[in-house]
Amino acid sequence: MSETSKAQTAIDTLVNQIDRDIASYLEACVHCGECAEACHFYEATHDPKYTPTYKLFPLVKAYKKHKAPLRWITQIFGAPDEITEEELRDWEELVYDSCTMCGRCTLVCPMGIDIAGTIRKVREGYAAADIVPEGLAQARANVERTSSPMGVTARALLKQVEHQEEDTGLKIPVDVEGADYLALLSSHEIMASPEIIGAYAKIFDRAGVSWTLSTEAYEATNVGVQIGSGPLARQLVQRVVDEAERLGVKYVISPECGHAYGAIRWAGPNLIGRSFKFEVLHILELLDKLRAEGRIPPGERDTRKMTLHDPCQIVRRGGLLKEPRRLLDDACSNFVEMKGAGVTNYCCGGGGGVSANQRAEDLMIGAFGKKLEQIDDLGNIDAVVVPCANCRGVFEDGLFELDRDEIEVVSLGQLVADTLADDPKTAK
Amino acid sequence: MTFLEFTEGPMFYFAAALFVVAGLWRLVGIVRLGKKPDLAPARGSAATGFLKGNLRHFFPRGLFAQRTWMHLLGGYGFHLGLFVLFFFAAPHIAFIEKFTGLSWPALPRWGFIIAAEIAFAGLIVLWVRRFSDPVMRLISDWDDHVGTWLTFIVMLTGCLALQEAHDSLRAIHMLSVNIWLIYFPFSRLMHAFTFFLSRGATGANYGRKGMNP
Ligand code: SF4
Ligand code: SF4
């Protein structure tokens, strides 16, 4: 792509992204700067360039030039310049490295502006012009090859399934047509914590749930959503939809991964332009439902002092606030909440593709420091329950870098499996 | 025709008409951009979310209040003070009555003074922060400053005209009001109306997800 056409492609795509909601946001911003006070990147660095609204500059410029109502009058007094490739490149770091699309800034904004959703639109322009960080470009290349951002193949998945079958002594169903539930996983889970597959097997066996994994659609993460490419995001959702509909499942289970949930549950039908023939449930929603139905009775609770990290895309932007808490109450006898728990919780610092972008690592660790302060305020926490595989990766890196790896990082699904009543009759 | 008659007559009609037409044009222009229907099955109501989003953002969130207290003081002080001055100053009520026949009790003089002081203090705090706070300095543009200054001048000339001792003071106030009205729909002052759309958009999106942040 030539220099001018890159900028032009970005501008055309940006302009196409602007609908009523985005225009309302760009029009309503009063430049008060309050959003900076809620953004972990600003809080960690105190660098004004990390002010959320400032990150939207390329879109603001395109809007004023091409879309703003009354621009034919205001432009009499000076038409805004067209955004240049140089400006796009200058803003690339702000658009990709310093926004996890966590949505915390919206809470403090007097105008209620959804910066996270708007950054997602800005990234569309960047992805179309192929001005993207190397780490995300690599993840995209891996996805094109294997459907997984980490390059995890179906063979690798089957190997892990085999190990888990040996460990649990349970048969793990794969590619079973007519099962009720199709469980998706994230690459991070398959490679770094495959025990979660065994945990699912244990829980579903106890609950009598008919489920399956698929060698066609095992990957839940959606690099298209992170990088900002609608076409790629659509392709990845379509792959899951095709397989789920081929297998004839009633439900698709989104794993403990924040953005994967948003991608399939909230964006999915809009990406492919139609409703699904199945329902999407987050694994925490399903576990909470099974628990409420008495199908997975809790047993002896874990006594470690634990707190809960709220993954932004599952809780604040996903709507699942109570489910993880109910599950944790049953699984842990010493569960304490952080200040600001729930909708106002801090992001881990590595969502929205930031953790896949090596260039952003220092910034990410800095932002994670805010999360750690929140945890430290509770005093002597033994373990943090983190129901998102991506966040868990960030926690592990952050705790290691900050020399705090005495704090354990735990999956909620795993914890539920570990604290199931051995014998339903002895359940509490 | 005296200058006062001009500023209260033809010029005011022109400014008010432009304010209404251009303001509506801008709002309709935003709404007309439309939005694709959301196909994801909803967990809650978008309409309720729209309203909740609007109400929720009128109130600060405790967790952030400590970090943004100066803004909260300035913001609430200015906006509430201005609201009271605008709707409850005796000359304003008389002016509105002249056109609509509607009237309501006015603020006593001491009430006006207090509201004006609070509004001025708030506006000054916000404006000083605009160039002294590194974040606000970075994100502010000339429109922010012009809007602040015009509003300041309108308020100042309004206070000077309060005595109604001199027609010329009243005329200067009306002149600044007219300029303010003409500038308003083309500027960020429109946030007085667009806030409803932006809070509502976020509220509706979250409402569908069963959240109300
Ligand atoms: S969405 Fe989160 S990371 Fe992005 S600007 Fe807002 S607070 Fe910062
Ligand atoms: S808090 Fe909202 S209105 Fe204020 S600068 Fe940030 S985005 Fe704009």
Side-chain angles (χ1 to χ4, degrees), chain A residues 18-21 23-25 27-34 36-38 42-43 46 48-49 51 53-54 63-64 67 69-70 72-74 103-104 106-114 261 265-266 269-270 273-275 285 315-321 339-340 343-344 370, chain B residues 22-23 25-43 57-59 61 63-64 66-68 71-72 129-130 133-136 138-141 144 185-188 190-191 194-195 197-203 205-206 208-213:
Chain A
I18 298 167
D19 62 6
R20 183 183 68 207
D21 287 4
S24 308
Y25 298 146
E27 291 275 354
C29 178
V30 283
H31 294 170
C32 68
E34 288 198 36
E37 302 297 340
Y42 173 76
E43 285 192 58
H46 285 280
K49 73 177 179 180
T51 303
T53 192
Y54 190 64
Y63 175 71
K64 281 190 180 161
K67 213 83 186 210
L70 296 177
W72 47 279
I73 293 185
T74 47
R104 194 166 189 261
T106 298
L107 306 178
V108 74
C109 172
M111 301 290 143
I113 293 169
D114 178 14
Y261 176 60
R265 172 66 176 86
W266 298 113
N270 298 307
R274 70 166 171 90
S275 314
E285 254 178 317
V315 181
R316 181 162 46 236
R317 292 177 68 78
L320 301 177
L321 177 67
K339 191 175 167 201
V343 282
T344 43
K370 297 307 297 179
Chain B
W25 187 294
R26 189 151 164 198
L27 291 175
V28 172
I30 297 168
V31 175
R32 274 192 58 212
L33 288 172
K35 195 189 165 194
K36 286 193 191 141
D38 195 334
L39 302 174
R43 197 186 282 135
H57 286 271
F58 272 121
F59 305 100
R61 225 171 255 274
L63 194 72
F64 302 114
Q66 213 184 335
R67 296 184 66 91
T68 58
H71 232 116
L72 293 177
R129 273 181 66 78
R130 213 170 259 300
D133 175 65
V135 164
M136 284 189 78
L138 179 72
I139 59 179
S140 297
D141 59 17
D144 298 312
F186 302 100
S187 71
R188 204 162 284 121
M190 273 296 283
H191 76 273
T194 50
F195 83 88
L197 294 176
S198 97
R199 286 182 189 176
T202 299
N205 288 336
Y206 275 102
R208 295 190 88 258
K209 298 177 181 178
M211 287 299 273
N212 177 33

Side-chain angles (χ1 to χ4, degrees), chain A residues 70-81, chain B residues 18 142 182-183 185-187:
Chain A
L70 296 177
R71 65 186 179 286
W72 47 279
I73 293 185
T74 47
Q75 290 185 6
I76 295 171
F77 303 97
D81 304 331
Chain B
L18 190 71
W142 59 267
I182 292 167
Y183 183 70
F186 302 100
S187 71

Side-chain angles (χ1 to χ4, degrees), chain A residues 186-241:
Chain A
S186 82
S187 289
H188 194 277
E189 286 178 320
I190 300 171
M191 298 320 289
S193 48
E195 317 77 56
I196 195 69
I197 303 172
Y200 279 14
K202 195 173 156 194
I203 294 169
F204 295 154
D205 179 66
R206 171 64 53 83
V209 162
S210 128
W211 72 294
T212 185
L213 291 171
S214 157
T215 49
E216 273 304 309
Y218 49 91
E219 179 60 66
T221 58
N222 191 318
V223 172
V225 165
Q226 294 179 323
I227 206 166
S229 164
L232 179 60
R234 183 177 315 124
Q235 194 186 318
L236 295 174
V237 169
Q238 190 69 58
R239 188 181 176 127
V240 172
V241 172

Side-chain angles (χ1 to χ4, degrees), chain B:
Chain B
M1 185 185 281
T2 63
F3 185 54
L4 177 61
E5 282 166 348
F6 173 70
T7 56
E8 284 194 345
M11 189 185 187
F12 174 69
Y13 294 135
F14 172 77
L18 190 71
F19 172 82
V20 172
V21 172
L24 279 175
W25 187 294
R26 189 151 164 198
L27 291 175
V28 172
I30 297 168
V31 175
R32 274 192 58 212
L33 288 172
K35 195 189 165 194
K36 286 193 191 141
D38 195 334
L39 302 174
R43 197 186 282 135
S45 154
T48 313
F50 188 98
L51 288 175
K52 278 187 180 169
N54 261 292
L55 295 176
R56 184 67 189 82
H57 286 271
F58 272 121
F59 305 100
R61 225 171 255 274
L63 194 72
F64 302 114
Q66 213 184 335
R67 296 184 66 91
T68 58
W69 65 272
M70 210 196 289
H71 232 116
L72 293 177
L73 276 182
Y76 279 106
F78 165 65
H79 284 96
L80 291 175
L82 186 69
F83 183 85
V84 170
L85 292 180
F86 188 81
F87 285 106
F88 296 100
H92 291 168
I93 297 173
F95 192 74
I96 294 169
E97 193 179 7
K98 194 170 100 184
F99 290 97
T100 63
L102 296 172
S103 167
W104 53 87
L107 265 186
R109 206 181 140 73
W110 59 264
F112 181 95
I113 306 278
I114 290 175
E117 280 178 0
I118 292 174
F120 271 116
L123 186 60
I124 291 168
V125 166
L126 294 180
W127 181 67
V128 168
R129 273 181 66 78
R130 213 170 259 300
F131 59 79
S132 63
D133 175 65
V135 164
M136 284 189 78
R137 197 166 52 228
L138 179 72
I139 59 179
S140 297
D141 59 17
W142 59 267
D143 182 16
D144 298 312
H145 290 281
V146 174
T148 307
W149 272 103
L150 281 178
T151 308
F152 183 82
I153 291 168
V154 167
M155 283 165 47
L156 186 70
T157 55
C159 287
L160 293 176
L162 183 66
Q163 294 283 26
E164 308 216 30
H166 298 284
D167 274 1
S168 54
L169 290 179
R170 188 177 164 108
I172 290 172
H173 179 52
M174 279 311 295
L175 176 70
S176 60
V177 167
N178 290 337
I179 294 172
W180 188 81
L181 284 174
I182 292 167
Y183 183 70
F184 195 111
F186 302 100
S187 71
R188 204 162 284 121
L189 293 173
M190 273 296 283
H191 76 273
F193 301 108
T194 50
F195 83 88
F196 181 67
L197 294 176
S198 97
R199 286 182 189 176
T202 299
N205 288 336
Y206 275 102
R208 295 190 88 258
K209 298 177 181 178
M211 287 299 273
N212 177 33

